[in-house]
Amino acid sequence: MAEKQIILTEEGLRKLEEKLEHLKTVRRHDVAERIKQAIDFGDISENSEYEDAKNEQAFIEGEILTLEKMLRNAKLIDENAVGIDIVTVGSTVILKDMEFGDELEYTIVGSAEADPSEFKISNESPVGEAIIGQKVGSVVEVNVPAGILKYEVLNIKRA
Protein backbone atom coordinates (compact mmCIF):
# COMPACT_ATOMS: atom_id res chain seq x y z
CA MET A 1 0.00 0.00 0.00
CA ALA A 2 1.37 3.42 -0.94
CA GLU A 3 1.99 5.88 1.84
CA LYS A 4 -0.43 8.77 2.11
CA GLN A 5 0.73 12.01 0.54
CA ILE A 6 0.98 14.90 2.99
CA ILE A 7 -0.20 18.17 1.44
CA LEU A 8 1.68 21.19 2.81
CA THR A 9 2.00 24.89 2.20
CA GLU A 10 5.50 26.39 2.28
CA GLU A 11 4.78 27.68 5.80
CA GLY A 12 3.60 24.23 6.92
CA LEU A 13 6.70 22.58 5.47
CA ARG A 14 8.93 25.09 7.26
CA LYS A 15 7.14 24.51 10.58
CA LEU A 16 7.51 20.72 10.31
CA GLU A 17 11.21 21.04 9.44
CA GLU A 18 11.75 23.39 12.41
CA LYS A 19 9.92 21.02 14.77
CA LEU A 20 12.00 18.08 13.52
CA GLU A 21 15.24 20.02 13.96
CA HIS A 22 14.22 21.05 17.51
CA LEU A 23 13.44 17.44 18.43
CA LYS A 24 16.71 16.16 17.00
CA THR A 25 18.94 18.81 18.59
CA VAL A 26 17.34 20.26 21.72
CA ARG A 27 14.88 17.62 22.98
CA ARG A 28 17.13 14.61 22.27
CA HIS A 29 19.96 16.29 24.16
CA ASP A 30 17.73 17.27 27.10
CA VAL A 31 16.33 13.77 27.56
CA ALA A 32 19.81 12.20 27.22
CA GLU A 33 20.95 14.48 30.07
CA ARG A 34 17.95 13.41 32.18
CA ILE A 35 18.79 9.73 31.58
CA LYS A 36 22.44 10.33 32.47
CA GLN A 37 21.47 12.10 35.71
CA ALA A 38 19.03 9.32 36.62
CA ILE A 39 21.76 6.71 36.08
CA ASP A 40 24.07 8.75 38.30
CA PHE A 41 21.53 8.36 41.13
CA GLY A 42 22.40 4.66 41.25
CA ASP A 43 20.04 1.68 41.07
CA ILE A 44 17.92 2.21 37.94
CA SER A 45 15.63 -0.76 38.58
CA GLU A 46 13.46 1.30 40.97
CA ASN A 47 14.25 4.76 39.65
CA SER A 48 11.08 6.51 38.42
CA GLU A 49 13.10 9.43 37.05
CA TYR A 50 14.98 7.00 34.80
CA GLU A 51 11.71 5.35 33.65
CA ASP A 52 10.12 8.74 32.90
CA ALA A 53 13.16 9.87 30.93
CA LYS A 54 13.28 6.60 28.93
CA ASN A 55 9.56 6.92 28.15
CA GLU A 56 10.06 10.51 27.01
CA GLN A 57 13.01 9.39 24.88
CA ALA A 58 10.84 6.76 23.18
CA PHE A 59 8.12 9.35 22.56
CA ILE A 60 10.59 11.83 21.03
CA GLU A 61 12.12 9.15 18.78
CA GLY A 62 8.63 8.12 17.63
CA GLU A 63 7.74 11.73 16.86
CA ILE A 64 11.00 12.16 14.91
CA LEU A 65 10.17 9.08 12.82
CA THR A 66 6.65 10.36 12.18
CA LEU A 67 7.88 13.81 11.09
CA GLU A 68 10.57 12.30 8.84
CA LYS A 69 7.92 10.10 7.17
CA MET A 70 5.61 13.10 6.71
CA LEU A 71 8.40 15.13 5.13
CA ARG A 72 9.34 12.23 2.83
CA ASN A 73 5.74 12.08 1.60
CA ALA A 74 5.19 15.83 1.45
CA LYS A 75 3.58 17.40 -1.57
CA LEU A 76 4.14 21.13 -1.59
CA ILE A 77 1.29 23.34 -2.74
CA ASP A 78 2.40 25.83 -5.37
CA GLU A 79 0.66 28.79 -3.76
CA ASN A 80 1.07 30.87 -6.95
CA ALA A 81 -0.89 28.23 -8.86
CA VAL A 82 -3.84 28.36 -6.46
CA GLY A 83 -6.70 29.82 -8.45
CA ILE A 84 -9.46 32.07 -7.20
CA ASP A 85 -12.23 30.57 -9.32
CA ILE A 86 -12.77 27.36 -7.31
CA VAL A 87 -11.90 26.29 -3.77
CA THR A 88 -8.75 24.16 -3.58
CA VAL A 89 -6.15 23.32 -0.97
CA GLY A 90 -4.33 26.60 -0.41
CA SER A 91 -7.44 28.75 -0.89
CA THR A 92 -8.68 31.20 1.71
CA VAL A 93 -12.46 31.17 1.65
CA ILE A 94 -15.06 33.47 3.13
CA LEU A 95 -18.22 31.56 3.98
CA LYS A 96 -21.58 32.83 5.15
CA ASP A 97 -23.40 30.72 7.72
CA MET A 98 -26.88 30.54 6.19
CA GLU A 99 -28.58 29.98 9.57
CA PHE A 100 -26.98 32.77 11.60
CA GLY A 101 -25.63 35.10 8.90
CA ASP A 102 -22.09 35.04 10.32
CA GLU A 103 -19.15 35.30 7.95
CA LEU A 104 -16.25 32.90 8.53
CA GLU A 105 -12.84 32.97 6.89
CA TYR A 106 -10.91 29.72 6.56
CA THR A 107 -7.74 28.67 4.80
CA ILE A 108 -7.93 25.16 3.36
CA VAL A 109 -4.78 23.16 4.16
CA GLY A 110 -3.70 19.53 4.29
CA SER A 111 -4.53 17.56 7.43
CA ALA A 112 -0.96 17.86 8.81
CA GLU A 113 -1.31 21.66 8.94
CA ALA A 114 -4.89 21.97 10.16
CA ASP A 115 -5.28 24.29 13.15
CA PRO A 116 -8.82 25.51 13.80
CA SER A 117 -7.52 28.10 16.30
CA GLU A 118 -5.73 29.75 13.34
CA PHE A 119 -8.75 29.21 11.06
CA LYS A 120 -6.85 26.62 9.02
CA ILE A 121 -9.10 23.68 8.25
CA SER A 122 -8.21 20.40 6.61
CA ASN A 123 -9.35 19.48 3.14
CA GLU A 124 -10.43 16.22 4.83
CA SER A 125 -12.64 17.90 7.47
CA PRO A 126 -16.41 17.95 6.88
CA VAL A 127 -16.43 21.66 5.94
CA GLY A 128 -13.21 21.36 3.92
CA GLU A 129 -14.52 18.38 1.96
CA ALA A 130 -17.83 20.11 1.29
CA ILE A 131 -16.33 23.32 -0.12
CA ILE A 132 -13.46 21.86 -2.19
CA GLY A 133 -14.30 22.41 -5.85
CA GLN A 134 -17.04 24.99 -5.12
CA LYS A 135 -17.32 28.45 -6.71
CA VAL A 136 -18.35 31.84 -5.36
CA GLY A 137 -22.13 31.79 -4.87
CA SER A 138 -22.29 28.04 -4.22
CA VAL A 139 -24.32 26.90 -1.24
CA VAL A 140 -23.11 23.72 0.46
CA GLU A 141 -24.59 21.51 3.15
CA VAL A 142 -22.23 19.98 5.67
CA ASN A 143 -23.19 16.98 7.78
CA VAL A 144 -21.79 17.39 11.29
CA PRO A 145 -22.64 15.56 14.51
CA ALA A 146 -24.95 18.42 15.54
CA GLY A 147 -26.92 18.27 12.28
CA ILE A 148 -26.58 19.98 8.91
CA LEU A 149 -24.82 23.30 8.44
CA LYS A 150 -25.39 25.41 5.32
CA TYR A 151 -22.75 27.79 3.99
CA GLU A 152 -22.57 30.08 1.00
CA VAL A 153 -19.16 30.66 -0.57
CA LEU A 154 -18.79 34.47 -0.64
CA ASN A 155 -15.18 34.87 -1.75
CA ILE A 156 -12.14 32.80 -2.71
CA LYS A 157 -8.60 34.15 -2.58
CA ARG A 158 -5.05 32.89 -2.31
CA ALA A 159 -3.85 32.14 1.20
Side-chain angles (χ1 to χ4, degrees):
M1 186 173 111
E3 292 183 350
K4 181 181 172 193
Q5 230 179 22
I6 306 296
I7 301 170
L8 295 171
T9 61
E10 284 185 35
E11 177 189 3
L13 178 65
R14 184 181 44 74
K15 283 182 178 179
L16 284 182
E17 289 171 339
E18 287 172 1
K19 183 176 181 181
L20 179 60
E21 186 63 21
H22 178 75
L23 287 171
K24 284 182 163 183
T25 56
V26 177
R27 296 285 309 276
R28 255 185 186 163
H29 176 75
D30 290 348
V31 79
E33 281 298 310
R34 282 186 54 208
I35 291 170
K36 183 180 177 300
Q37 287 174 352
I39 290 171
D40 289 345
F41 290 142
D43 182 13
I44 60 171
S45 64
E46 294 182 22
N47 186 330
S48 64
E49 184 63 32
Y50 176 79
E51 282 299 313
D52 288 347
K54 289 299 282 183
N55 287 336
E56 184 178 356
Q57 181 184 45
F59 176 79
I60 290 169
E61 293 304 320
E63 203 166 354
I64 287 170
L65 289 174
T66 299
L67 289 172
E68 287 175 339
K69 181 179 175 184
M70 289 172 76
L71 290 169
R72 252 193 331 272
N73 296 308
K75 177 182 183 254
L76 196 60
I77 298 168
D78 179 356
E79 294 175 34
N80 296 321
V82 172
I84 57 170
D85 50 340
I86 65 166
V87 179
T88 63
V89 176
S91 298
T92 296
V93 184
I94 298 174
L95 301 174
K96 179 179 182 181
D97 182 320
M98 300 298 283
E99 183 178 351
F100 299 106
D102 299 337
E103 288 186 13
L104 310 161
E105 184 171 319
Y106 293 115
T107 300
I108 310 302
V109 295
S111 58
E113 260 182 277
D115 185 350
S117 69
E118 291 185 16
F119 303 99
K120 293 180 178 182
I121 61 171
S122 166
N123 60 319
E124 298 173 15
S125 70
V127 173
E129 270 187 6
I131 64 175
I132 290 285
Q134 300 297 324
K135 297 179 179 185
V136 171
S138 298
V139 175
V140 296
E141 292 186 355
V142 182
N143 289 316
V144 295
I148 296 177
L149 303 174
K150 284 177 81 171
Y151 294 110
E152 179 182 359
V153 179
L154 298 180
N155 192 9
I156 304 167
K157 55 188 178 182
R158 287 186 180 97

PDB file of all heavy atoms in Angstrom, residues 2-8 13 16 65-76:
ATOM      1  N   ALA A   2       0.586   2.182  -0.858  1.00  0.00           N
ATOM      2  CA  ALA A   2       1.371   3.419  -0.941  1.00  0.00           C
ATOM      3  C   ALA A   2       1.109   4.284   0.293  1.00  0.00           C
ATOM      4  O   ALA A   2       0.007   4.288   0.843  1.00  0.00           O
ATOM      5  CB  ALA A   2       0.991   4.182  -2.197  1.00  0.00           C
ATOM      6  N   GLU A   3       2.150   5.001   0.690  1.00  0.00           N
ATOM      7  CA  GLU A   3       1.993   5.878   1.842  1.00  0.00           C
ATOM      8  C   GLU A   3       1.199   7.100   1.436  1.00  0.00           C
ATOM      9  O   GLU A   3       1.276   7.568   0.305  1.00  0.00           O
ATOM     10  CB  GLU A   3       3.370   6.285   2.378  1.00  0.00           C
ATOM     11  CG  GLU A   3       4.111   5.115   3.001  1.00  0.00           C
ATOM     12  CD  GLU A   3       5.448   5.518   3.596  1.00  0.00           C
ATOM     13  OE1 GLU A   3       5.908   6.647   3.376  1.00  0.00           O
ATOM     14  OE2 GLU A   3       6.022   4.689   4.293  1.00  0.00           O
ATOM     15  N   LYS A   4       0.429   7.628   2.373  1.00  0.00           N
ATOM     16  CA  LYS A   4      -0.426   8.770   2.112  1.00  0.00           C
ATOM     17  C   LYS A   4       0.411  10.023   1.872  1.00  0.00           C
ATOM     18  O   LYS A   4       1.340  10.318   2.614  1.00  0.00           O
ATOM     19  CB  LYS A   4      -1.348   8.982   3.313  1.00  0.00           C
ATOM     20  CG  LYS A   4      -2.303  10.125   3.152  1.00  0.00           C
ATOM     21  CD  LYS A   4      -3.151  10.287   4.387  1.00  0.00           C
ATOM     22  CE  LYS A   4      -3.962  11.560   4.294  1.00  0.00           C
ATOM     23  NZ  LYS A   4      -4.556  11.911   5.556  1.00  0.00           N
ATOM     24  N   GLN A   5       0.050  10.757   0.824  1.00  0.00           N
ATOM     25  CA  GLN A   5       0.732  12.011   0.543  1.00  0.00           C
ATOM     26  C   GLN A   5       0.299  13.055   1.564  1.00  0.00           C
ATOM     27  O   GLN A   5      -0.872  13.131   1.927  1.00  0.00           O
ATOM     28  CB  GLN A   5       0.349  12.490  -0.859  1.00  0.00           C
ATOM     29  CG  GLN A   5       1.510  12.834  -1.691  1.00  0.00           C
ATOM     30  CD  GLN A   5       1.111  13.287  -3.086  1.00  0.00           C
ATOM     31  OE1 GLN A   5      -0.003  13.714  -3.326  1.00  0.00           O
ATOM     32  NE2 GLN A   5       2.044  13.182  -3.992  1.00  0.00           N
ATOM     33  N   ILE A   6       1.246  13.846   2.034  1.00  0.00           N
ATOM     34  CA  ILE A   6       0.976  14.903   2.992  1.00  0.00           C
ATOM     35  C   ILE A   6       1.020  16.229   2.242  1.00  0.00           C
ATOM     36  O   ILE A   6       2.066  16.629   1.740  1.00  0.00           O
ATOM     37  CB  ILE A   6       2.030  14.909   4.137  1.00  0.00           C
ATOM     38  CG1 ILE A   6       2.138  13.526   4.793  1.00  0.00           C
ATOM     39  CG2 ILE A   6       1.729  15.993   5.147  1.00  0.00           C
ATOM     40  CD1 ILE A   6       0.899  13.044   5.484  1.00  0.00           C
ATOM     41  N   ILE A   7      -0.123  16.909   2.162  1.00  0.00           N
ATOM     42  CA  ILE A   7      -0.201  18.168   1.436  1.00  0.00           C
ATOM     43  C   ILE A   7       0.194  19.297   2.389  1.00  0.00           C
ATOM     44  O   ILE A   7      -0.376  19.429   3.473  1.00  0.00           O
ATOM     45  CB  ILE A   7      -1.625  18.393   0.901  1.00  0.00           C
ATOM     46  CG1 ILE A   7      -2.017  17.240  -0.028  1.00  0.00           C
ATOM     47  CG2 ILE A   7      -1.735  19.728   0.182  1.00  0.00           C
ATOM     48  CD1 ILE A   7      -3.476  17.225  -0.417  1.00  0.00           C
ATOM     49  N   LEU A   8       1.176  20.110   1.963  1.00  0.00           N
ATOM     50  CA  LEU A   8       1.677  21.189   2.810  1.00  0.00           C
ATOM     51  C   LEU A   8       1.849  22.489   2.034  1.00  0.00           C
ATOM     52  O   LEU A   8       2.201  22.472   0.857  1.00  0.00           O
ATOM     53  CB  LEU A   8       3.056  20.822   3.387  1.00  0.00           C
ATOM     54  CG  LEU A   8       3.131  19.651   4.353  1.00  0.00           C
ATOM     55  CD1 LEU A   8       4.585  19.301   4.632  1.00  0.00           C
ATOM     56  CD2 LEU A   8       2.408  19.991   5.644  1.00  0.00           C
ATOM     57  N   LEU A  13       5.462  23.338   5.656  1.00  0.00           N
ATOM     58  CA  LEU A  13       6.702  22.584   5.475  1.00  0.00           C
ATOM     59  C   LEU A  13       7.790  23.134   6.381  1.00  0.00           C
ATOM     60  O   LEU A  13       8.480  22.380   7.075  1.00  0.00           O
ATOM     61  CB  LEU A  13       7.145  22.637   4.010  1.00  0.00           C
ATOM     62  CG  LEU A  13       8.466  21.924   3.684  1.00  0.00           C
ATOM     63  CD1 LEU A  13       8.333  20.427   3.917  1.00  0.00           C
ATOM     64  CD2 LEU A  13       8.888  22.215   2.253  1.00  0.00           C
ATOM     65  N   LEU A  16       7.171  22.117  10.040  1.00  0.00           N
ATOM     66  CA  LEU A  16       7.506  20.715  10.306  1.00  0.00           C
ATOM     67  C   LEU A  16       9.018  20.517  10.353  1.00  0.00           C
ATOM     68  O   LEU A  16       9.523  19.788  11.215  1.00  0.00           O
ATOM     69  CB  LEU A  16       6.903  19.794   9.249  1.00  0.00           C
ATOM     70  CG  LEU A  16       5.413  19.504   9.341  1.00  0.00           C
ATOM     71  CD1 LEU A  16       4.990  18.543   8.242  1.00  0.00           C
ATOM     72  CD2 LEU A  16       5.023  18.948  10.695  1.00  0.00           C
ATOM     73  N   LEU A  65      10.467   9.991  13.924  1.00  0.00           N
ATOM     74  CA  LEU A  65      10.172   9.079  12.815  1.00  0.00           C
ATOM     75  C   LEU A  65       8.913   9.507  12.053  1.00  0.00           C
ATOM     76  O   LEU A  65       8.874   9.479  10.825  1.00  0.00           O
ATOM     77  CB  LEU A  65      10.020   7.648  13.322  1.00  0.00           C
ATOM     78  CG  LEU A  65      11.303   6.962  13.794  1.00  0.00           C
ATOM     79  CD1 LEU A  65      10.979   5.603  14.415  1.00  0.00           C
ATOM     80  CD2 LEU A  65      12.289   6.811  12.661  1.00  0.00           C
ATOM     81  N   THR A  66       7.892   9.915  12.797  1.00  0.00           N
ATOM     82  CA  THR A  66       6.647  10.362  12.183  1.00  0.00           C
ATOM     83  C   THR A  66       6.872  11.592  11.312  1.00  0.00           C
ATOM     84  O   THR A  66       6.405  11.660  10.174  1.00  0.00           O
ATOM     85  CB  THR A  66       5.585  10.662  13.263  1.00  0.00           C
ATOM     86  OG1 THR A  66       5.328   9.456  13.995  1.00  0.00           O
ATOM     87  CG2 THR A  66       4.293  11.173  12.659  1.00  0.00           C
ATOM     88  N   LEU A  67       7.613  12.579  11.842  1.00  0.00           N
ATOM     89  CA  LEU A  67       7.877  13.806  11.089  1.00  0.00           C
ATOM     90  C   LEU A  67       8.724  13.520   9.851  1.00  0.00           C
ATOM     91  O   LEU A  67       8.467  14.071   8.774  1.00  0.00           O
ATOM     92  CB  LEU A  67       8.558  14.850  11.969  1.00  0.00           C
ATOM     93  CG  LEU A  67       7.674  15.487  13.040  1.00  0.00           C
ATOM     94  CD1 LEU A  67       8.495  16.363  13.965  1.00  0.00           C
ATOM     95  CD2 LEU A  67       6.545  16.285  12.408  1.00  0.00           C
ATOM     96  N   GLU A  68       9.729  12.643   9.998  1.00  0.00           N
ATOM     97  CA  GLU A  68      10.567  12.302   8.840  1.00  0.00           C
ATOM     98  C   GLU A  68       9.731  11.645   7.745  1.00  0.00           C
ATOM     99  O   GLU A  68       9.895  11.930   6.564  1.00  0.00           O
ATOM    100  CB  GLU A  68      11.717  11.392   9.266  1.00  0.00           C
ATOM    101  CG  GLU A  68      12.792  12.119  10.053  1.00  0.00           C
ATOM    102  CD  GLU A  68      13.883  11.208  10.593  1.00  0.00           C
ATOM    103  OE1 GLU A  68      13.658   9.987  10.729  1.00  0.00           O
ATOM    104  OE2 GLU A  68      14.967  11.739  10.893  1.00  0.00           O
ATOM    105  N   LYS A  69       8.801  10.771   8.142  1.00  0.00           N
ATOM    106  CA  LYS A  69       7.918  10.104   7.172  1.00  0.00           C
ATOM    107  C   LYS A  69       7.011  11.133   6.493  1.00  0.00           C
ATOM    108  O   LYS A  69       6.813  11.092   5.280  1.00  0.00           O
ATOM    109  CB  LYS A  69       7.087   9.039   7.885  1.00  0.00           C
ATOM    110  CG  LYS A  69       6.151   8.282   6.975  1.00  0.00           C
ATOM    111  CD  LYS A  69       5.395   7.225   7.756  1.00  0.00           C
ATOM    112  CE  LYS A  69       4.368   6.533   6.900  1.00  0.00           C
ATOM    113  NZ  LYS A  69       3.562   5.584   7.670  1.00  0.00           N
ATOM    114  N   MET A  70       6.475  12.062   7.274  1.00  0.00           N
ATOM    115  CA  MET A  70       5.611  13.098   6.709  1.00  0.00           C
ATOM    116  C   MET A  70       6.379  13.932   5.689  1.00  0.00           C
ATOM    117  O   MET A  70       5.871  14.230   4.604  1.00  0.00           O
ATOM    118  CB  MET A  70       5.053  13.997   7.821  1.00  0.00           C
ATOM    119  CG  MET A  70       4.023  13.336   8.693  1.00  0.00           C
ATOM    120  SD  MET A  70       3.570  14.336  10.117  1.00  0.00           S
ATOM    121  CE  MET A  70       2.525  15.558   9.348  1.00  0.00           C
ATOM    122  N   LEU A  71       7.602  14.304   6.031  1.00  0.00           N
ATOM    123  CA  LEU A  71       8.404  15.135   5.131  1.00  0.00           C
ATOM    124  C   LEU A  71       8.781  14.362   3.858  1.00  0.00           C
ATOM    125  O   LEU A  71       8.831  14.939   2.773  1.00  0.00           O
ATOM    126  CB  LEU A  71       9.643  15.670   5.850  1.00  0.00           C
ATOM    127  CG  LEU A  71       9.340  16.724   6.922  1.00  0.00           C
ATOM    128  CD1 LEU A  71      10.569  17.015   7.767  1.00  0.00           C
ATOM    129  CD2 LEU A  71       8.794  18.002   6.292  1.00  0.00           C
ATOM    130  N   ARG A  72       9.034  13.063   3.996  1.00  0.00           N
ATOM    131  CA  ARG A  72       9.336  12.230   2.827  1.00  0.00           C
ATOM    132  C   ARG A  72       8.157  12.179   1.856  1.00  0.00           C
ATOM    133  O   ARG A  72       8.330  12.086   0.653  1.00  0.00           O
ATOM    134  CB  ARG A  72       9.639  10.797   3.284  1.00  0.00           C
ATOM    135  CG  ARG A  72      11.063  10.374   3.187  1.00  0.00           C
ATOM    136  CD  ARG A  72      11.268   8.873   3.348  1.00  0.00           C
ATOM    137  NE  ARG A  72      10.337   8.124   4.145  1.00  0.00           N
ATOM    138  CZ  ARG A  72      10.438   7.932   5.466  1.00  0.00           C
ATOM    139  NH1 ARG A  72      11.425   8.468   6.141  1.00  0.00           N
ATOM    140  NH2 ARG A  72       9.553   7.210   6.105  1.00  0.00           N
ATOM    141  N   ASN A  73       6.953  12.204   2.406  1.00  0.00           N
ATOM    142  CA  ASN A  73       5.738  12.077   1.604  1.00  0.00           C
ATOM    143  C   ASN A  73       5.055  13.417   1.343  1.00  0.00           C
ATOM    144  O   ASN A  73       3.892  13.458   0.951  1.00  0.00           O
ATOM    145  CB  ASN A  73       4.754  11.116   2.289  1.00  0.00           C
ATOM    146  CG  ASN A  73       5.316   9.722   2.373  1.00  0.00           C
ATOM    147  OD1 ASN A  73       5.752   9.166   1.387  1.00  0.00           O
ATOM    148  ND2 ASN A  73       5.335   9.161   3.567  1.00  0.00           N
ATOM    149  N   ALA A  74       5.788  14.499   1.597  1.00  0.00           N
ATOM    150  CA  ALA A  74       5.195  15.830   1.452  1.00  0.00           C
ATOM    151  C   ALA A  74       4.996  16.205  -0.003  1.00  0.00           C
ATOM    152  O   ALA A  74       5.840  15.942  -0.856  1.00  0.00           O
ATOM    153  CB  ALA A  74       6.085  16.864   2.141  1.00  0.00           C
ATOM    154  N   LYS A  75       3.865  16.811  -0.262  1.00  0.00           N
ATOM    155  CA  LYS A  75       3.578  17.395  -1.574  1.00  0.00           C
ATOM    156  C   LYS A  75       3.335  18.872  -1.313  1.00  0.00           C
ATOM    157  O   LYS A  75       2.394  19.242  -0.608  1.00  0.00           O
ATOM    158  CB  LYS A  75       2.347  16.766  -2.209  1.00  0.00           C
ATOM    159  CG  LYS A  75       1.995  17.408  -3.542  1.00  0.00           C
ATOM    160  CD  LYS A  75       0.733  16.786  -4.132  1.00  0.00           C
ATOM    161  CE  LYS A  75       0.445  17.396  -5.484  1.00  0.00           C
ATOM    162  NZ  LYS A  75      -0.667  18.326  -5.465  1.00  0.00           N
ATOM    163  N   LEU A  76       4.216  19.697  -1.830  1.00  0.00           N
ATOM    164  CA  LEU A  76       4.143  21.132  -1.589  1.00  0.00           C
ATOM    165  C   LEU A  76       3.114  21.768  -2.519  1.00  0.00           C
ATOM    166  O   LEU A  76       3.100  21.495  -3.721  1.00  0.00           O
ATOM    167  CB  LEU A  76       5.527  21.753  -1.816  1.00  0.00           C
ATOM    168  CG  LEU A  76       5.758  23.141  -1.262  1.00  0.00           C
ATOM    169  CD1 LEU A  76       5.572  23.162   0.248  1.00  0.00           C
ATOM    170  CD2 LEU A  76       7.164  23.601  -1.606  1.00  0.00           C
TER     171      LEU A  76
END
